[in-house]
Amino acid sequence: MDFARPLRVDVEYAVRAVVDSATRKRGVRTGVFDLVTALIELIGPDGEVHAAVRPTYVFPRRAEVPA
Amino acid sequence: MSAAEPADRVAAVGDELPPFTAVADPEHMKTIAALLGDPNMIHLDPNVSAALGFGERVVNQGPINLGWVHTMLVRWAGGADRVRSSRFRFRDNVFGGERVVAGGRVTAVGSGEIECEVWLDVERDGVVVRAVSGTAVVARVGRA
């Protein structure tokens, strides 16, 4: 999480989200899985990004791809 | 610097941040589930969490775990506006009724920012389990 400005009560923020990256990996226990990182930004009334978060999700692909 | 002094006093590498303790309350999980619109029943129904292999207790939401670490940082830094960034990794779950301790340690001190190692530990069956680990950057002065 990155805060360019403090988030304020009663301020309306727009939310913008994109897939930042997607990487296929193979683990010993998990088998094939994808690491997908999203970039989610909170945009203030001034049009600037006030905060951003990049959560990374793990998607096991055992059903689709033999390990 | 002692652990009780705020971040805008002199901070030194190795300083421990004052710990913040909390208990994972299943009632709070219901509130957060409603606020987040989170339909995952592992946070609400221990039968579901057990059926999915999590054990007999509900699973605390990850954002609550991160919130405890942020609360610890905010108390030490002197205000929510002083926390500039954080990076977290979920290492283990926190279950309903468990006691957690959020803590941190100063790793670098710059002219305007302080870098910290942060964590959330769970006391489970007499063993300390690290549920969250990460880093954070706080400002030495307010930006409000």
Side-chain angles (χ1 to χ4, degrees), chain A residues 1-6 8 54, chain B residues 70 81 83-87 143:
Chain A
M1 283 178 270
D2 295 294
F3 297 96
R5 294 174 178 76
R8 303 289 188 192
R54 285 182 177 80
Chain B
H70 262 259
D81 60 318
V83 179
R84 291 189 169 172
S85 67
S86 57
R87 303 281 183 275
R143 293 176 297 145

PDB file of all heavy atoms in Angstrom, chain A residues 1-6 8 54, chain B residues 70 81 83-87 143:
ATOM      1  N   MET A   1       0.841  -1.177   0.000  1.00  0.00           N
ATOM      2  CA  MET A   1       0.000   0.000   0.000  1.00  0.00           C
ATOM      3  C   MET A   1       0.882   1.234   0.000  1.00  0.00           C
ATOM      4  O   MET A   1       1.840   1.304   0.762  1.00  0.00           O
ATOM      5  CB  MET A   1      -0.896   0.020   1.240  1.00  0.00           C
ATOM      6  CG  MET A   1      -2.072  -0.926   1.159  1.00  0.00           C
ATOM      7  SD  MET A   1      -3.073  -0.911   2.664  1.00  0.00           S
ATOM      8  CE  MET A   1      -2.231  -2.192   3.580  1.00  0.00           C
ATOM      9  N   ASP A   2       0.540   2.175  -0.849  1.00  0.00           N
ATOM     10  CA  ASP A   2       1.279   3.438  -0.887  1.00  0.00           C
ATOM     11  C   ASP A   2       0.284   4.581  -0.740  1.00  0.00           C
ATOM     12  O   ASP A   2      -0.748   4.610  -1.428  1.00  0.00           O
ATOM     13  CB  ASP A   2       2.028   3.577  -2.218  1.00  0.00           C
ATOM     14  CG  ASP A   2       3.101   2.516  -2.369  1.00  0.00           C
ATOM     15  OD1 ASP A   2       4.059   2.552  -1.587  1.00  0.00           O
ATOM     16  OD2 ASP A   2       2.967   1.660  -3.256  1.00  0.00           O
ATOM     17  N   PHE A   3       0.605   5.484   0.161  1.00  0.00           N
ATOM     18  CA  PHE A   3      -0.276   6.626   0.400  1.00  0.00           C
ATOM     19  C   PHE A   3       0.445   7.894  -0.039  1.00  0.00           C
ATOM     20  O   PHE A   3       1.391   8.333   0.608  1.00  0.00           O
ATOM     21  CB  PHE A   3      -0.650   6.724   1.883  1.00  0.00           C
ATOM     22  CG  PHE A   3      -1.424   5.532   2.380  1.00  0.00           C
ATOM     23  CD1 PHE A   3      -0.774   4.485   3.012  1.00  0.00           C
ATOM     24  CD2 PHE A   3      -2.797   5.456   2.205  1.00  0.00           C
ATOM     25  CE1 PHE A   3      -1.477   3.386   3.464  1.00  0.00           C
ATOM     26  CE2 PHE A   3      -3.508   4.351   2.646  1.00  0.00           C
ATOM     27  CZ  PHE A   3      -2.855   3.310   3.282  1.00  0.00           C
ATOM     28  N   ALA A   4      -0.013   8.477  -1.159  1.00  0.00           N
ATOM     29  CA  ALA A   4       0.561   9.739  -1.609  1.00  0.00           C
ATOM     30  C   ALA A   4      -0.003  10.893  -0.798  1.00  0.00           C
ATOM     31  O   ALA A   4       0.678  11.897  -0.573  1.00  0.00           O
ATOM     32  CB  ALA A   4       0.267   9.943  -3.095  1.00  0.00           C
ATOM     33  N   ARG A   5      -1.256  10.725  -0.382  1.00  0.00           N
ATOM     34  CA  ARG A   5      -1.908  11.726   0.463  1.00  0.00           C
ATOM     35  C   ARG A   5      -2.765  10.987   1.482  1.00  0.00           C
ATOM     36  O   ARG A   5      -3.256   9.899   1.195  1.00  0.00           O
ATOM     37  CB  ARG A   5      -2.798  12.664  -0.366  1.00  0.00           C
ATOM     38  CG  ARG A   5      -2.056  13.543  -1.346  1.00  0.00           C
ATOM     39  CD  ARG A   5      -3.050  14.321  -2.206  1.00  0.00           C
ATOM     40  NE  ARG A   5      -2.410  15.230  -3.137  1.00  0.00           N
ATOM     41  CZ  ARG A   5      -1.821  14.839  -4.258  1.00  0.00           C
ATOM     42  NH1 ARG A   5      -1.820  13.586  -4.602  1.00  0.00           N
ATOM     43  NH2 ARG A   5      -1.261  15.725  -5.056  1.00  0.00           N
ATOM     44  N   PRO A   6      -3.012  11.590   2.631  1.00  0.00           N
ATOM     45  CA  PRO A   6      -3.918  10.947   3.598  1.00  0.00           C
ATOM     46  C   PRO A   6      -5.328  10.846   3.026  1.00  0.00           C
ATOM     47  O   PRO A   6      -5.802  11.778   2.362  1.00  0.00           O
ATOM     48  CB  PRO A   6      -3.881  11.893   4.806  1.00  0.00           C
ATOM     49  CG  PRO A   6      -2.664  12.723   4.634  1.00  0.00           C
ATOM     50  CD  PRO A   6      -2.436  12.850   3.149  1.00  0.00           C
ATOM     51  N   ARG A   8      -9.260  11.028   3.251  1.00  0.00           N
ATOM     52  CA  ARG A   8     -10.093  11.918   4.048  1.00  0.00           C
ATOM     53  C   ARG A   8     -11.544  11.451   4.076  1.00  0.00           C
ATOM     54  O   ARG A   8     -12.076  10.986   3.059  1.00  0.00           O
ATOM     55  CB  ARG A   8     -10.056  13.343   3.476  1.00  0.00           C
ATOM     56  CG  ARG A   8      -8.661  13.944   3.374  1.00  0.00           C
ATOM     57  CD  ARG A   8      -8.109  14.261   4.739  1.00  0.00           C
ATOM     58  NE  ARG A   8      -6.859  14.995   4.659  1.00  0.00           N
ATOM     59  CZ  ARG A   8      -6.053  15.194   5.708  1.00  0.00           C
ATOM     60  NH1 ARG A   8      -6.358  14.709   6.896  1.00  0.00           N
ATOM     61  NH2 ARG A   8      -4.934  15.871   5.560  1.00  0.00           N
ATOM     62  N   ARG A  54      -1.300  -3.030  -4.281  1.00  0.00           N
ATOM     63  CA  ARG A  54      -0.996  -4.083  -5.263  1.00  0.00           C
ATOM     64  C   ARG A  54      -1.132  -5.454  -4.604  1.00  0.00           C
ATOM     65  O   ARG A  54      -0.143  -6.045  -4.180  1.00  0.00           O
ATOM     66  CB  ARG A  54       0.431  -3.912  -5.797  1.00  0.00           C
ATOM     67  CG  ARG A  54       0.619  -2.780  -6.774  1.00  0.00           C
ATOM     68  CD  ARG A  54       2.061  -2.741  -7.280  1.00  0.00           C
ATOM     69  NE  ARG A  54       2.266  -1.700  -8.275  1.00  0.00           N
ATOM     70  CZ  ARG A  54       2.437  -0.422  -7.981  1.00  0.00           C
ATOM     71  NH1 ARG A  54       2.434  -0.031  -6.725  1.00  0.00           N
ATOM     72  NH2 ARG A  54       2.616   0.478  -8.938  1.00  0.00           N
TER      73      ARG A  54
ATOM     74  N   HIS B  70      -1.192  -1.881  10.961  1.00  0.00           N
ATOM     75  CA  HIS B  70      -1.269  -0.448  10.683  1.00  0.00           C
ATOM     76  C   HIS B  70      -1.601   0.334  11.956  1.00  0.00           C
ATOM     77  O   HIS B  70      -1.072   1.428  12.175  1.00  0.00           O
ATOM     78  CB  HIS B  70      -2.295  -0.172   9.583  1.00  0.00           C
ATOM     79  CG  HIS B  70      -1.678  -0.008   8.230  1.00  0.00           C
ATOM     80  ND1 HIS B  70      -1.455   1.198   7.639  1.00  0.00           N
ATOM     81  CD2 HIS B  70      -1.191  -0.935   7.368  1.00  0.00           C
ATOM     82  CE1 HIS B  70      -0.874   1.033   6.465  1.00  0.00           C
ATOM     83  NE2 HIS B  70      -0.706  -0.260   6.277  1.00  0.00           N
ATOM     84  N   ASP B  81      -1.798   9.770   8.984  1.00  0.00           N
ATOM     85  CA  ASP B  81      -1.228  10.412   7.805  1.00  0.00           C
ATOM     86  C   ASP B  81       0.283  10.219   7.710  1.00  0.00           C
ATOM     87  O   ASP B  81       0.896  10.580   6.716  1.00  0.00           O
ATOM     88  CB  ASP B  81      -1.561  11.897   7.817  1.00  0.00           C
ATOM     89  CG  ASP B  81      -1.008  12.592   9.031  1.00  0.00           C
ATOM     90  OD1 ASP B  81      -1.098  12.021  10.133  1.00  0.00           O
ATOM     91  OD2 ASP B  81      -0.478  13.708   8.880  1.00  0.00           O
ATOM     92  N   VAL B  83       1.841   7.214   7.951  1.00  0.00           N
ATOM     93  CA  VAL B  83       2.195   5.928   7.348  1.00  0.00           C
ATOM     94  C   VAL B  83       2.173   6.109   5.830  1.00  0.00           C
ATOM     95  O   VAL B  83       1.131   6.338   5.237  1.00  0.00           O
ATOM     96  CB  VAL B  83       1.234   4.806   7.764  1.00  0.00           C
ATOM     97  CG1 VAL B  83       1.629   3.490   7.096  1.00  0.00           C
ATOM     98  CG2 VAL B  83       1.229   4.653   9.276  1.00  0.00           C
ATOM     99  N   ARG B  84       3.341   6.048   5.199  1.00  0.00           N
ATOM    100  CA  ARG B  84       3.442   6.343   3.778  1.00  0.00           C
ATOM    101  C   ARG B  84       3.306   5.103   2.900  1.00  0.00           C
ATOM    102  O   ARG B  84       2.786   5.186   1.793  1.00  0.00           O
ATOM    103  CB  ARG B  84       4.771   7.047   3.487  1.00  0.00           C
ATOM    104  CG  ARG B  84       4.813   8.440   4.058  1.00  0.00           C
ATOM    105  CD  ARG B  84       6.012   9.207   3.598  1.00  0.00           C
ATOM    106  NE  ARG B  84       5.889  10.615   3.955  1.00  0.00           N
ATOM    107  CZ  ARG B  84       6.865  11.492   3.807  1.00  0.00           C
ATOM    108  NH1 ARG B  84       8.016  11.111   3.313  1.00  0.00           N
ATOM    109  NH2 ARG B  84       6.682  12.754   4.143  1.00  0.00           N
ATOM    110  N   SER B  85       3.808   3.998   3.356  1.00  0.00           N
ATOM    111  CA  SER B  85       3.680   2.786   2.535  1.00  0.00           C
ATOM    112  C   SER B  85       3.878   1.553   3.406  1.00  0.00           C
ATOM    113  O   SER B  85       4.457   1.631   4.495  1.00  0.00           O
ATOM    114  CB  SER B  85       4.696   2.781   1.382  1.00  0.00           C
ATOM    115  OG  SER B  85       6.009   2.658   1.883  1.00  0.00           O
ATOM    116  N   SER B  86       3.382   0.444   2.910  1.00  0.00           N
ATOM    117  CA  SER B  86       3.559  -0.818   3.626  1.00  0.00           C
ATOM    118  C   SER B  86       3.554  -1.957   2.615  1.00  0.00           C
ATOM    119  O   SER B  86       2.911  -1.867   1.565  1.00  0.00           O
ATOM    120  CB  SER B  86       2.464  -1.013   4.677  1.00  0.00           C
ATOM    121  OG  SER B  86       1.180  -0.953   4.078  1.00  0.00           O
ATOM    122  N   ARG B  87       4.292  -2.996   2.933  1.00  0.00           N
ATOM    123  CA  ARG B  87       4.335  -4.219   2.118  1.00  0.00           C
ATOM    124  C   ARG B  87       4.125  -5.391   3.057  1.00  0.00           C
ATOM    125  O   ARG B  87       4.824  -5.506   4.066  1.00  0.00           O
ATOM    126  CB  ARG B  87       5.698  -4.379   1.429  1.00  0.00           C
ATOM    127  CG  ARG B  87       6.094  -3.201   0.560  1.00  0.00           C
ATOM    128  CD  ARG B  87       5.373  -3.242  -0.783  1.00  0.00           C
ATOM    129  NE  ARG B  87       5.793  -2.148  -1.654  1.00  0.00           N
ATOM    130  CZ  ARG B  87       5.264  -0.917  -1.632  1.00  0.00           C
ATOM    131  NH1 ARG B  87       4.287  -0.630  -0.771  1.00  0.00           N
ATOM    132  NH2 ARG B  87       5.684   0.011  -2.461  1.00  0.00           N
ATOM    133  N   ARG B 143       2.058  15.160   7.612  1.00  0.00           N
ATOM    134  CA  ARG B 143       1.881  15.732   6.279  1.00  0.00           C
ATOM    135  C   ARG B 143       0.507  16.368   6.130  1.00  0.00           C
ATOM    136  O   ARG B 143       0.121  16.755   5.055  1.00  0.00           O
ATOM    137  CB  ARG B 143       2.050  14.642   5.221  1.00  0.00           C
ATOM    138  CG  ARG B 143       3.452  14.099   5.145  1.00  0.00           C
ATOM    139  CD  ARG B 143       3.503  12.967   4.156  1.00  0.00           C
ATOM    140  NE  ARG B 143       2.657  11.869   4.606  1.00  0.00           N
ATOM    141  CZ  ARG B 143       1.969  11.093   3.801  1.00  0.00           C
ATOM    142  NH1 ARG B 143       1.966  11.325   2.528  1.00  0.00           N
ATOM    143  NH2 ARG B 143       1.260  10.110   4.282  1.00  0.00           N
TER     144      ARG B 143
END
